[in-house]
Amino acid sequence: MNDIEVLLPHVKKDAKLDSKSHLHLLPELADLNNCNNTLYFEARRHEDLYMWAAKTPNGPSIKLHVQNVHTMDELKMTGNCLKGSRGLLSFDKGFEETEWGRLTKEVFTHIFGVPPSARKAKPFIDHILTFSILDDKIWFRNYQIMEKDPLQPNGPPQTSLVEIGPRFVLTPIRIFEGAFNGATVYSNPEFVSPAAVRSAINREKGSKYGSRKDAQEQRSERKEARKRPEDELAVSKVFA
């Protein structure tokens, strides 16, 4: 969240929300801060992260699952950009192929596009925010625009891109008509919650344990069946 705050110099950060069930309070908080776009991060079970991107107060709002998060401190990349500078937005052509893609592109343009008159915004454009669709997921990357070749600083101008960070992957879950509520406009039929994935893995582990115990019982039963009946004329019986 701090990395995204650095990328957007016009944001206003608020404190934690008391409960996940009080999402109807977010449009009021946005109105008190004179904001018409809202990003809300929702953490569950200390390991799952969800992000809401909404237009307040009338909607729409998009709920996304955040995966593969790599922060700026973690990546240690060579790219750098001016703090407070504006960035170009680059969207994959895949956003134009679906209804939910076009709607998501419009919402992200409003949220991540820094207006020229924004507070604390510098009059420079030195990085590109890239949104790409692959495997029905949205991949976010941040690149610095370099005008010169680092190996030849005195040579001719040569534009290149160097990744800065952060990077993450978003999986769309639902799109609602209103701000954090309302009718469902789009629902991703292929999305499986991480909790369901973990429970399926645990069930598979449990089934492996159960099949192993059944095999042990069957093996012991076969051993009992193979035992010969006790002979009445055995030495231990005759000379007991």
Side-chain angles (χ1 to χ4, degrees):
M1 189 175 69
N2 292 331
D3 289 345
I4 293 181
E5 183 189 7
V6 172
L7 294 177
L8 307 177
H10 62 302
V11 302
K12 295 180 181 179
K13 187 171 66 172
D14 209 324
K16 294 180 180 179
L17 198 65
D18 291 336
S19 174
K20 299 182 181 69
S21 61
H22 294 165
L23 296 181
H24 62 277
L25 300 176
L26 290 172
E28 299 179 11
L29 291 174
D31 186 39
L32 290 174
N33 290 284
N34 296 323
C35 296
N36 51 12
N37 299 294
T38 304
L39 280 178
Y40 172 62
F41 293 93
E42 180 180 349
R44 292 185 179 180
R45 298 181 179 89
H46 301 284
E47 51 186 336
D48 301 332
L49 179 62
Y50 298 90
M51 184 179 79
W52 289 78
K55 291 285 297 179
T56 50
N58 299 321
S61 54
I62 307 171
K63 185 178 182 181
L64 307 117
H65 179 224
V66 188
Q67 295 172 288
N68 301 331
V69 179
H70 298 282
T71 60
M72 292 183 184
D73 295 334
E74 178 186 348
L75 291 174
K76 304 293 184 185
M77 291 185 171
T78 57
N80 195 5
C81 66
L82 178 67
K83 185 176 181 179
S85 63
R86 299 171 60 214
L88 295 176
L89 297 182
S90 173
F91 288 93
D92 182 19
K93 63 180 180 180
F95 281 93
E96 299 294 334
E97 298 175 356
T98 57
E99 293 286 342
W100 71 266
R102 286 193 288 270
L103 182 58
T104 304
K105 176 182 176 181
E106 187 67 24
V107 173
F108 280 3
T109 302
H110 285 248
I111 292 177
F112 291 94
V114 181
S117 59
R119 66 186 188 97
K120 297 182 181 179
K122 305 291 193 308
F124 302 103
I125 296 178
D126 58 356
H127 63 279
I128 297 178
L129 303 180
T130 305
F131 298 90
S132 305
I133 291 183
L134 182 64
D135 298 333
D136 293 329
K137 301 180 188 299
I138 302 173
W139 299 65
F140 175 85
R141 295 291 185 270
N142 181 23
Y143 296 97
Q144 176 194 3
I145 304 174
M146 298 191 66
E147 299 292 342
K148 293 185 179 181
D149 188 359
L151 302 178
Q152 297 178 353
N154 297 325
Q158 183 178 357
T159 305
S160 60
L161 298 178
V162 179
E163 187 173 356
I164 305 173
R167 56 162 66 169
F168 50 85
V169 180
L170 302 172
T171 304
I173 303 174
R174 284 180 184 268
I175 300 179
F176 297 93
E177 185 179 5
F180 303 99
N181 56 21
T184 300
V185 179
Y186 168 78
S187 177
N188 188 358
E190 298 181 358
F191 175 74
V192 180
S193 66
V197 173
R198 287 193 296 270
S199 64
I201 293 173
N202 292 333
R203 280 198 303 271
E204 185 178 356
K205 291 180 180 178
S207 64
K208 287 182 179 179
Y209 175 76
S211 61
R212 191 166 65 247
K213 298 301 289 184
D214 292 339
Q216 289 178 358
E217 291 179 2
Q218 293 175 5
R219 190 162 58 247
S220 61
E221 290 175 359
R222 287 195 298 269
K223 284 183 179 180
E224 291 292 334
R226 283 197 297 266
K227 286 184 178 180
R228 295 180 179 179
E230 195 172 359
D231 189 6
E232 293 293 335
L233 298 177
V235 176
S236 59
K237 288 283 188 179
V238 174
F239 300 100

